[in-house]
Amino acid sequence: MQFTKGHGAANDFVILADPDGQLALTPSLVASLCDRHRGIGADGVLRVVRTAKHPEAVGRAADAEWFMDYWNADGSIAEMCGNGVRVFARYLAVSGLAEGASFPILTRAGLVRATIDGDTIAVDMPAPRLGAAGAATIVPLTFPGTAVDVGNPHLVSVLPDGVDLDSLDLTRSPGFDPALFPAGVNVEFVTPLPPLDGFDLHVRMRVYERGSGETLACGSGALAVAAVALHDAALDAGTVAVELLGGRLAATRTDAGWTLAGPAVLVATGEIDVSALSTID
């Protein structure tokens, strides 16, 4: 099996080119590919497939040629991945599968448009929708938060004064209300940072991603965090610099909608022996 490895702000992915939808991708295969000791290692898998060739996307084949079939590291399927779609766009451009500097991509969360400007890729993202109040628990602490829908579910908790973001134990999933998030949730913890030139707000976050664990960056999570930050600052528009363990992303809200911008690079290509992966229990 041929693969490409890429990342956006250190949120890393195995990319599988399957234009005609012939690859028998399964949860166990995805989990094995993402295993950092016995596979390639990644936060998730991006399958590059034509919309006309994927049963979930065929009805929207007229909207975009390519569908991002995204899978979490544990083999579960996800609706959206903000860094993943930017890496997906880089792959399409480098592979000659998309023309021009701006093109549409279909995701399970809907249609987005990627725009490439050198090292930076910006994507028009689904507008975050702030929902009910919730809470995230890292024993023995419980932090109030806000549910945010970015095409996938998020819970954003702004830490109170006196709680160090680096002190949080994210080696296991934070507790949350399953009635509020029946399909699970990505949990973000946030602290404000001093003002930064060129940005309206400046924050730092860590994230525990549903199906992947703590990752070095989460694009849709950065968008969710920015939405809460702007709301709390009573701003109807603006750009938020979001610092993650893997680097900085910029989330912008204008009258036209939301965009997420940051680096996206391809670092390797290769071939993996799938029969060796199949021996992993």
Side-chain angles (χ1 to χ4, degrees):
M1 177 186 293
Q2 301 293 322
F3 73 91
T4 299
K5 184 75 182 291
H7 74 90
N11 194 187
D12 60 337
F13 307 95
V14 173
I15 305 160
L16 302 177
D18 185 27
D20 294 321
Q22 297 178 334
L23 179 62
L25 201 58
T26 65
S28 61
L29 176 55
V30 168
S32 295
L33 288 169
C34 292
D35 189 303
R36 296 191 182 276
H37 300 287
R38 298 175 292 183
I40 299 168
D43 293 325
V45 167
L46 303 169
R47 180 163 66 140
V48 182
V49 59
R50 287 189 172 89
T51 55
K53 299 295 184 178
H54 195 287
E56 293 182 53
V58 63
R60 300 196 64 180
D63 297 330
E65 183 177 3
W66 298 101
F67 174 64
M68 182 182 78
D69 183 15
Y70 177 64
W71 300 61
N72 292 315
D74 66 354
S76 60
I77 290 175
E79 305 90 343
M80 168 55 74
C81 179
N83 285 323
V85 74
R86 295 186 309 99
V87 173
F88 190 94
R90 179 70 76 190
Y91 179 84
L92 292 181
V94 169
S95 302
L97 299 177
E99 297 181 355
S102 182
F103 45 84
I105 297 170
L106 186 64
T107 75
R108 289 187 176 89
L111 190 69
V112 301
R113 176 167 288 274
T115 300
I116 300 176
D117 183 11
D119 293 337
T120 299
I121 295 183
V123 176
D124 296 335
M125 294 286 288
R129 294 180 294 173
L130 274 61
T137 299
I138 300 178
V139 177
L141 302 175
T142 296
F143 305 103
T146 302
V148 185
D149 184 351
V150 191
N152 58 349
H154 293 265
L155 175 61
V156 177
S157 292
V158 179
L159 297 183
D161 293 341
V163 177
D164 181 7
L165 181 63
D166 292 324
S167 72
L168 301 182
D169 179 7
L170 296 184
T171 57
R172 63 186 66 186
S173 174
F176 59 88
D177 182 357
L180 185 58
F181 302 105
V185 66
N186 305 287
V187 184
E188 289 83 25
F189 297 96
V190 191
T191 57
L193 290 176
L196 188 65
D197 287 347
F199 297 92
D200 297 286
L201 296 172
H202 188 202
V203 300
R204 181 170 173 248
M205 65 172 271
R206 288 175 64 193
V207 57
Y208 190 97
E209 288 198 57
R210 173 189 62 168
S212 295
E214 183 176 18
T215 59
L216 299 183
C218 175
S220 59
L223 206 69
V225 163
V228 170
L230 289 172
H231 176 269
D232 289 350
L235 295 175
D236 293 329
T239 297
V240 182
V242 183
E243 308 292 348
L244 304 105
L245 295 177
R248 177 184 298 161
L249 297 174
T252 301
R253 182 184 183 184
T254 67
D255 290 340
W258 285 83
T259 60
L260 177 72
V265 298
L266 307 179
V267 298
T269 59
E271 181 176 302
I272 190 162
D273 182 353
V274 176
S275 64
L277 287 177
S278 67
T279 65
I280 297 176
D281 295 329

